[in-house]
Amino acid sequence: MADKAILQVGDKKIELPIIEGVDGSKAIDISQLLAQTGLTSYDPSLGNTAICKSAITYIDGDKGILRYRGIPIEQFTAQPKPNFVEAAWLLIFGRLPNKAELAEFRQQLIDNELLHEGIKDQFQHIPADAPPMAILSATMNNLACFHKQFLEVEKPEGLVAAAARLISKVRTIAAFSYRRSRGLPFIYPDPGLRYCANFLHMMFSLPYKQYIVTPEIEDALNMIFILHADHEQNCSTSAVRVVGSARANLFASCAAGVSALWGPLHGGANVEVINMLERIYQGGISPEQCIRDAKDKNNSFRLFGFGHRVYRNFDPRAKILKESCDRVLAKMHRQDPLLDIARRLEELALSDPYFVERKLYPNVDFYSGILLRAIGIPTNMFTVCFAIGRLPGWIAQWKEQHDDTSSKILRPRQVYIGAQVTDYVPMEQR
Ligand code: CMC
């Protein structure tokens, strides 16, 4: 197989190296294209561009495969399975932790679960109906003001300490924003509880009544966080990398990830899915009409929770979540009419030529909201839960880029289509 591609521009022929991933996938290295030909490449949504080499997450979109550090995603949800903290360590540090390493990391999470009172006080000045993703992004960035020792992390211990602070505090920030929105007193974290149970405690306990988490609920949330933990170079992760490439600190870079994730085409889709299912349930629209609207090119509506830039097959996370919905709801003795509607929509879409031809399948956001509802998470906190889950992935990607001594500032080019050189016209002559 050729290890070079030949590009002919006019009379000039140049050779471009081909690099290969461990799975045999190939990429043409065009980093010298401009220098050799004076031409840039045009790929507006970066759908055809690898922006880095990465060893964290592997996806085969045609086969519906997802692996974290080589481990198939299915192994994170079948017994014996890791919990979210272990999966986070794996993603960030590249291998499974031993007992001592995991215990130490857990202790660091416990030691850092409180927010500085200065940050806590800021919640009082935020409007009660403020979007929780705005609060999360702003407060995550704000951590840099209170933990300035992590503005530069040059030593490995510094990275561990910064990662532990972020992964621990993100739950507290999320829960406090929810409490603020409901006018409820803040509930401080309980060091005796595990990661997911502690988050639910801060969300739902009352000063006079402890919220008791059941094993099925704890397990379901653990699984949701793990399934969201990384997904290679998606929109929010690329945002983290772009910001991090300027040597911006970890807090600022991850805050950028939260902002990107908020968008309805990305993490915000989990909210849109439930709103869509609710609308169908309330009788505002039928599943058939919903599918017709999604196909109508004069209508901006999309079937939320469907389609993916990389998967042209079932998203393996959606498969796991769909199965879990049945299992978890049955264990909790709950029924959710929205689950039946979701199944009906999936059935309609997967037998419709529009979706079949475009290879549009349910993605992670299609069924996750139904599980989050069953856990008791309010809809406007769904994307926040996605962010809590995705944080280890952002940190892992930031670290990988930071550790790569050859990495440079990310600075794309453009094809300029604006005005040619024009003279300034004074106000009175316009
Ligand atoms: N409903 C209707 N049509 C769709 C949908 C959809 N959900 N998704 C893609 N299409 C159509 C699109 O209109 C286009 O049609 P045509 O070829 O006739 O112009 C074709 O399929 C290709 O779509 P695209 O927009 O070029 O694909 P993309 O790779 O740029 O976008 C996507 C991927 C996820 C943004 C898109 O599928 C979408 O908007 N889905 C709905 C939002 C959603 O569920 N987002 C969550 C993504 S997964 C988790 C995450 O990243 O957070």
Side-chain angles (χ1 to χ4, degrees):
M1 182 60 95
D3 56 359
K4 285 186 169 51
I6 311 290
L7 177 72
Q8 180 157 5
V9 183
D11 293 339
K12 193 176 175 190
K13 269 189 189 169
I14 60 156
E15 286 186 346
L16 297 167
I18 292 182
I19 60 165
E20 195 170 328
V22 290
D23 61 335
S25 62
K26 292 186 163 58
I28 302 175
D29 178 349
I30 57 162
S31 53
Q32 295 306 311
L33 185 67
L34 180 62
Q36 290 186 15
T37 65
L39 300 177
T40 55
S41 61
Y42 180 62
D43 182 18
S45 58
L46 300 178
N48 209 61
T49 297
I51 62 158
C52 61
K53 292 179 187 166
S54 181
I56 301 168
T57 289
Y58 175 72
I59 300 177
D60 183 328
D62 293 325
K63 295 192 183 131
I65 292 173
L66 168 63
R67 297 181 196 136
Y68 292 161
R69 299 285 186 184
I71 304 175
I73 193 68
E74 292 76 13
Q75 291 186 24
F76 290 84
T77 57
Q79 295 293 352
K81 58 184 184 222
N83 65 24
F84 175 63
V85 174
E86 199 177 348
W89 207 97
L90 166 76
L91 284 168
I92 298 170
F93 303 109
R95 60 174 173 82
L96 288 166
N98 62 33
K99 256 190 180 171
E101 286 165 337
L102 187 58
E104 196 191 321
F105 193 57
R106 282 217 171 97
Q107 192 54 48
Q108 291 206 31
L109 295 183
I110 291 170
D111 293 345
N112 288 292
E113 56 197 13
L114 279 175
L115 296 181
H116 189 287
E117 288 289 299
I119 295 184
K120 196 197 86 178
D121 290 348
Q122 292 175 5
F123 283 89
Q124 302 300 349
H125 305 285
I126 294 170
D129 60 353
M133 285 297 273
I135 302 175
L136 185 62
S137 176
T139 314
M140 218 180 237
N141 212 347
N142 208 0
L143 288 176
C145 307
F146 292 84
H147 304 280
K148 283 196 289 193
Q149 70 273 36
F150 299 115
L151 292 185
E152 280 172 30
V153 284
E154 294 313 330
K155 295 208 174 105
E157 316 82 82
L159 190 276
V160 183
R165 268 168 184 75
L166 262 175
I167 292 173
S168 189
K169 290 182 196 303
V170 69
R171 290 170 302 179
T172 321
I173 298 169
F176 279 20
S177 71
Y178 168 69
R179 305 291 295 200
R180 164 75 188 133
S181 74
R182 298 289 162 113
L184 291 167
F186 297 137
I187 298 289
Y188 284 100
D190 177 345
L193 294 174
R194 282 189 296 244
Y195 190 87
C196 294
N198 206 353
F199 171 56
L200 293 169
H201 157 69
M202 287 188 275
M203 287 281 290
F204 302 127
S205 281
L206 293 169
Y208 51 87
K209 194 169 168 215
Q210 174 90 3
Y211 170 88
I212 307 291
V213 63
T214 62
E216 12 333 327
I217 287 192
E218 190 177 5
D219 215 42
L221 189 60
N222 191 59
M223 183 192 66
I224 288 175
F225 285 163
I226 288 181
L227 290 180
H228 288 86
D230 194 50
H231 214 235
E232 51 119 302
Q233 309 312 316
N234 57 84
C235 176
S236 56
T237 301
S238 301
V240 171
R241 278 191 180 257
V242 169
V243 176
S245 78
R247 299 265 177 260
N249 67 76
L250 184 62
F251 301 123
S253 305
C254 290
V258 175
S259 299
L261 190 72
W262 189 3
L265 294 189
H266 191 11
N270 57 14
V271 173
E272 301 295 336
V273 170
I274 290 295
N275 290 342
M276 174 179 83
L277 298 177
E278 284 276 13
R279 230 161 30 101
I280 295 173
Y281 181 60
Q282 304 295 345
I285 182 177
S286 67
E288 290 75 12
Q289 185 59 46
C290 185
I291 296 288
R292 277 196 293 276
D293 287 350
K295 295 191 298 183
D296 181 357
K297 292 293 173 198
N298 297 315
N299 190 333
S300 63
F301 175 78
R302 286 196 157 196
L303 184 59
F304 284 99
F306 255 74
H308 199 276
R309 174 63 63 80
V310 181
Y311 292 121
R312 298 299 175 199
N313 198 325
F314 272 95
D315 177 338
R317 303 167 301 173
K319 261 193 197 167
I320 295 169
L321 285 165
K322 185 183 178 186
E323 285 161 18
S324 308
C325 282
D326 290 322
R327 201 167 17 87
V328 174
L329 288 174
K331 264 193 178 170
M332 293 168 71
H333 307 292
R334 278 190 60 152
Q335 277 198 321
D336 189 340
L338 299 197
L339 179 56
D340 297 330
I341 296 171
R343 284 208 201 91
R344 175 78 186 129
L345 276 178
E346 179 182 336
E347 190 188 1
L348 287 171
L350 294 184
S351 58
D352 189 304
Y354 174 96
F355 292 88
V356 174
E357 280 158 19
R358 290 170 178 75
K359 298 188 177 165
L360 302 172
Y361 291 88
N363 60 47
V364 68
D365 295 315
F366 197 64
Y367 287 104
S368 62
I370 292 176
L371 266 188
L372 286 167
R373 260 161 73 91
I375 293 170
I377 306 286
T379 309
N380 71 341
M381 292 293 289
F382 285 3
T383 316
V384 171
C385 286
F386 191 152
I388 298 175
R390 181 55 54 87
L391 187 56
W394 290 333
I395 296 171
Q397 303 271 349
W398 186 93
K399 176 180 183 301
E400 183 173 70
Q401 182 179 48
H402 190 75
D403 290 349
D404 176 0
T405 48
S406 69
S407 91
K408 288 183 165 187
I409 190 164
L410 283 167
R411 202 313 187 175
R413 297 280 176 158
Q414 65 172 11
V415 175
Y416 178 68
I417 57 164
Q420 290 290 38
V421 64
T422 324
D423 287 328
Y424 170 74
V425 181
M427 183 64 81
E428 55 281 5
Q429 290 172 28
R430 277 179 233 163

